[in-house]
Amino acid sequence: MAHLAGVGTATVERVLNARGGVRPETVEKVLAAARQLDYARRSPEAHRVILRIEVTLVRPEARFFFRLAGAFERLGAMLDPLRRRHRTFVPEDDPAAIAARIAKPGLRRAGLILAVPDVSAIRVALGQMQARGLPIVQIVTRATGVVADCVGIDNEAAGRVAGLLLSRMQPRAGTVVAICYGGAYQMHRDRIRGFSGYLQAHPRPDLRSAQVLSGHDRGARSCCSTPCGNGQTS
């Protein structure tokens, strides 16, 4: 345990036996090592420090993210009082601001949960946090090249199912137009890849494919969409 926490055995003994005289950040390291090793003994109450988990989301006005934020709110109410959730909304269209928040949150956190765009500046910031040992969990979508647990569905498979349903349920000939949120999230790129891949693998001569358009979950924009940033076609 001492080796895993990067401290001496005397420090471990002081923490586990509530002898005091150990800095809070060092206590956190020892307790994290104890949890990782599934140490059976309960940590002393005096040394049970507050662990803050930051949840970083975008677009609170969007129905999906509003519901997601609400789920975290309900989850937070069920946590141990010393396990606190700190919810942060960041501007979706400002990757630099998101990266800055990831790198310098202004609070000591024990973990980071996030659903943010997959762009270079954000990937770099996440990589830096991982290098410092911060646990990261991605939800709904992944950041390319960031090796972290992800909670969500297989989006490419979801795209294939959409292609299957469209192909079988559309009785008439015509043009297929795919409207997605946009190209900034890997989950949307995965869905479009699955959708396009299915139609290409199971072509119908009477269905002609067109561009993938971006609607950003806005009804008015979806009625007059623009080509998606990734330039893919379906």
Side-chain angles (χ1 to χ4, degrees):
M1 188 184 301
H3 177 74
L4 184 61
V7 300
T9 55
T11 299
V12 172
E13 190 275 336
R14 294 188 72 84
V15 171
L16 296 182
N17 292 291
R19 300 189 189 281
V22 182
R23 292 183 301 174
E25 55 267 29
T26 303
V27 172
E28 289 183 17
K29 291 181 181 179
V30 174
L31 295 181
R35 289 191 297 272
Q36 186 172 339
L37 295 173
D38 198 22
Y39 185 66
R41 182 175 175 179
R42 182 178 175 85
S43 300
E45 290 294 328
H47 284 281
R48 293 186 68 210
V49 298
I50 295 175
L51 296 180
R52 292 183 175 86
I53 300 173
E54 184 173 26
V55 180
T56 302
L57 304 172
V58 299
R59 296 189 63 202
E61 79 284 356
R63 180 173 177 81
F64 173 78
F65 286 109
F66 177 81
R67 294 177 61 187
L68 190 60
F72 277 110
E73 191 73 29
R74 293 189 295 273
L75 176 62
M78 296 186 288
L79 293 177
D80 184 308
L82 294 178
R83 305 296 183 261
R84 298 184 182 177
R85 172 204 47 78
H86 185 90
R87 187 180 58 191
T88 302
F89 284 103
V90 290
E92 183 184 49
D93 58 353
D94 191 346
I98 299 175
R101 177 69 197 190
I102 292 171
K104 297 180 179 179
L107 74 156
R108 179 183 295 171
R109 60 192 175 188
L112 175 61
I113 301 173
L114 76 169
V116 293
D118 177 28
V119 297
S120 178
I122 295 173
R123 292 194 292 265
V124 170
L126 288 173
Q128 292 172 345
M129 292 302 98
Q130 282 192 312
R132 297 179 188 178
L134 179 70
I136 295 174
V137 175
Q138 302 176 95
I139 49 176
V140 182
T141 186
R142 293 181 180 273
T144 304
V146 176
V147 181
D149 291 328
C150 183
V151 179
I153 66 172
D154 184 331
N155 286 290
E156 189 166 348
R160 290 196 297 270
V161 171
L164 167 68
L165 294 177
L166 183 143
S167 180
R168 292 189 177 182
M169 296 173 65
Q170 175 52 265
R172 296 178 299 178
T175 300
V176 176
V177 176
I179 300 178
C180 72
Y181 180 86
Y185 292 89
Q186 188 184 72
M187 63 174 175
H188 297 128
R189 298 197 297 267
D190 288 345
R191 291 178 188 180
I192 291 299
R193 182 166 55 251
F195 179 78
S196 302
Y198 180 87
L199 294 182
Q200 291 169 2
H202 305 84
R204 271 182 50 180
D206 58 336
L207 290 181
R208 185 177 65 85
S209 59
Q211 283 184 307
V212 176
L213 305 180
S214 174
H216 288 276
D217 284 350
R218 297 185 177 96
R221 181 167 182 172
S222 293
C223 290
C224 185
S225 299
T226 56
C228 200
N230 58 13
Q232 291 181 331
T233 58
S234 65

